[in-house]
Amino acid sequence: SSAGLMMKQQQQQQDSSFFYIATLGNSGGFVAQSLRSNLAMKQFTEDDQRALKKQLKAQKKDKDKDETWVAMMRAVSFYWMRHRSSFPWRLLPRLTAEERMQKLVNHVVLENELTNKHLLHSNLERHMGLDYARLHPMTFTVAVAKDSNSSGSGNGDSDNGKEEEEAKEKQPRKYAWPKALTDDVVLAGVAGGDAQDGECKRQAGAKWIIKPTQRSCGEGVHLWRGSSLGELAKHLDGERPTTEFVVQRYIDNPFCFQGRKFDIRVYVLLVPGTAAKPGLRAYYHRGYIRIGGADYAANRDNLANRNAHVTNFHVQR
């Protein structure tokens, strides 16, 4: 019967449908549970990997590490990796076009152009042109200069060499300041002649939000207020070992929900079409909001209270 045939096809699909979770971090545990319960997929376990390697050894292909990955890529249809670099993108051409169309990975090539804060800032600035400065808070990328704390060639194997390295780490670092980032801008948060406007603003100082460029989950994001590049350099020295930051003018009067800061997160999945149905298909989630854990007005000038200023749920929990 048609019902029996459908059940047989579903069973065959379940038998050959594996997923691979590289780490339980980055919501991996939740994804694994969802794939098992909602799609009846089976996890490609360490036992499955050992069996695959044993099979390749019998075929005398085990000496090629890439061959192991290629075989696993053919067996597994869904990948959940914490880092983009964990997936062997260079091996995709070894799969057929049809095989590649059947694979789902939670990363894309060059996604760091959007996920790295410095690269996102640079790309938006280049793409939007003059509109970027008009529609976006003043933003700079500040990095430790390449020659910062450089010293002579000490003997790293000796106690003296170790002491030299420790002493060098305690020295103030040099920073490659963007030309437009001046003492007046740091103090007032505006560029050009506007920086001289308003003695009250100059006395109070502008608020800035500082974000390490290559971290996630709100790690290292904090607020700062000062009056000069020297003060900013001293502050950033306390953020070691991080060497690159996005420094952005803080929006001091945000739109709040029930008196608290919030952001909106929406997920969209774009799927390429087929020869029969070309184009892109979009699947989206209605989204949700993330709310700060503390009242914003009460903590507006309490820059140390990240619960009021940073809505990332890794900070809030």
Side-chain angles (χ1 to χ4, degrees):
S1 65
S2 59
L5 179 61
M6 184 178 297
M7 290 180 61
K8 183 176 180 180
Q9 290 175 341
Q10 290 177 345
Q11 184 63 43
Q12 289 175 345
Q13 183 180 10
Q14 291 175 14
D15 290 342
S16 60
S17 186
F18 288 96
F19 67 87
Y20 177 75
I21 304 292
T23 173
L24 291 182
N26 197 26
S27 304
F30 171 78
V31 172
Q33 180 182 359
S34 179
L35 291 173
R36 277 192 291 262
S37 59
N38 297 330
L39 298 178
M41 295 181 73
K42 297 186 297 185
Q43 184 162 1
F44 198 78
T45 63
E46 292 183 2
D47 289 338
D48 295 318
Q49 294 181 52
R50 282 191 286 267
L52 178 62
K53 291 179 181 180
K54 186 176 181 181
Q55 181 182 356
L56 291 173
K57 186 175 182 179
Q59 299 172 359
K60 298 183 179 180
K61 296 180 179 179
D62 58 307
K63 293 183 180 180
D64 184 358
K65 294 182 179 179
D66 288 349
E67 194 65 38
T68 302
W69 257 112
V70 171
M72 193 169 100
M73 289 166 69
R74 288 197 170 102
V76 176
S77 56
F78 184 94
Y79 294 83
W80 187 269
M81 308 285 199
R82 179 155 194 172
H83 302 290
R84 174 181 55 89
S85 57
S86 301
F87 187 80
W89 304 97
R90 62 185 179 82
L91 299 178
L92 277 177
R94 294 175 65 169
L95 302 182
T96 66
E98 184 178 356
E99 287 174 331
R100 290 198 296 271
M101 288 292 292
Q102 296 172 356
K103 309 302 172 187
L104 287 176
V105 187
N106 68 321
H107 293 280
V108 295
V109 178
L110 296 179
E111 66 180 22
N112 58 312
E113 295 288 339
L114 295 176
T115 58
N116 179 286
K117 297 177 182 66
H118 158 59
L119 294 177
L120 176 62
H121 158 56
S122 300
N123 289 327
L124 284 174
E125 191 174 38
R126 182 169 54 250
H127 176 70
M128 297 178 66
L130 295 177
D131 285 337
Y132 181 71
R134 184 172 61 87
L135 300 173
H136 198 266
M138 182 179 289
T139 306
F140 303 96
T141 297
V142 175
V144 175
K146 292 183 179 179
D147 62 343
S148 181
N149 296 344
S150 60
S151 60
S153 56
N155 182 2
D157 296 331
S158 66
D159 291 338
N160 289 337
K162 185 176 180 181
E163 290 175 0
E164 287 178 6
E165 289 297 321
E166 291 177 350
K168 185 174 69 174
E169 284 299 315
K170 295 179 181 179
Q171 294 175 5
R173 301 187 295 189
K174 298 177 183 178
Y175 292 89
W177 302 113
K179 291 182 179 179
L181 184 58
T182 64
D183 283 348
D184 280 336
V185 169
V186 170
L187 180 63
V190 291
D194 293 337
Q196 307 295 331
D197 186 23
E199 188 63 26
C200 292
K201 181 187 290 184
R202 291 181 59 80
Q203 289 177 357
K207 296 176 185 176
W208 298 86
I209 185 166
I210 298 176
K211 313 171 188 179
T213 60
Q214 297 186 20
R215 294 195 206 171
S216 60
C217 303
E219 184 182 3
V221 177
H222 63 283
L223 272 65
W224 175 83
R225 178 164 52 193
S227 60
S228 67
L229 290 176
E231 288 186 15
L232 179 57
K234 186 176 180 180
H235 174 78
L236 295 181
D237 269 357
E239 298 298 313
R240 302 185 189 212
T242 304
T243 58
E244 187 179 60
F245 308 85
V246 165
V247 179
Q248 186 176 74
R249 176 70 192 275
Y250 188 57
I251 299 176
D252 197 36
N253 58 337
F255 180 69
C256 292
F257 175 74
Q258 295 181 351
R260 302 187 181 197
K261 282 188 65 175
F262 73 98
D263 66 61
I264 302 174
R265 176 163 288 197
V266 178
Y267 294 94
V268 178
L269 172 65
L270 297 177
V271 181
T274 62
K277 294 182 178 180
L280 285 175
R281 285 174 289 173
Y283 300 88
Y284 65 92
H285 184 273
R286 289 187 176 181
Y288 59 91
I289 66 172
R290 302 187 299 181
I291 306 174
D295 183 82
Y296 179 74
N299 293 277
R300 186 167 185 166
D301 293 317
N302 182 5
L303 305 190
N305 189 346
R306 296 210 307 159
N307 283 333
H309 297 283
V310 183
T311 56
N312 190 295
F313 57 77
H314 290 278
V315 173
Q316 299 299 324
R317 65 185 181 185

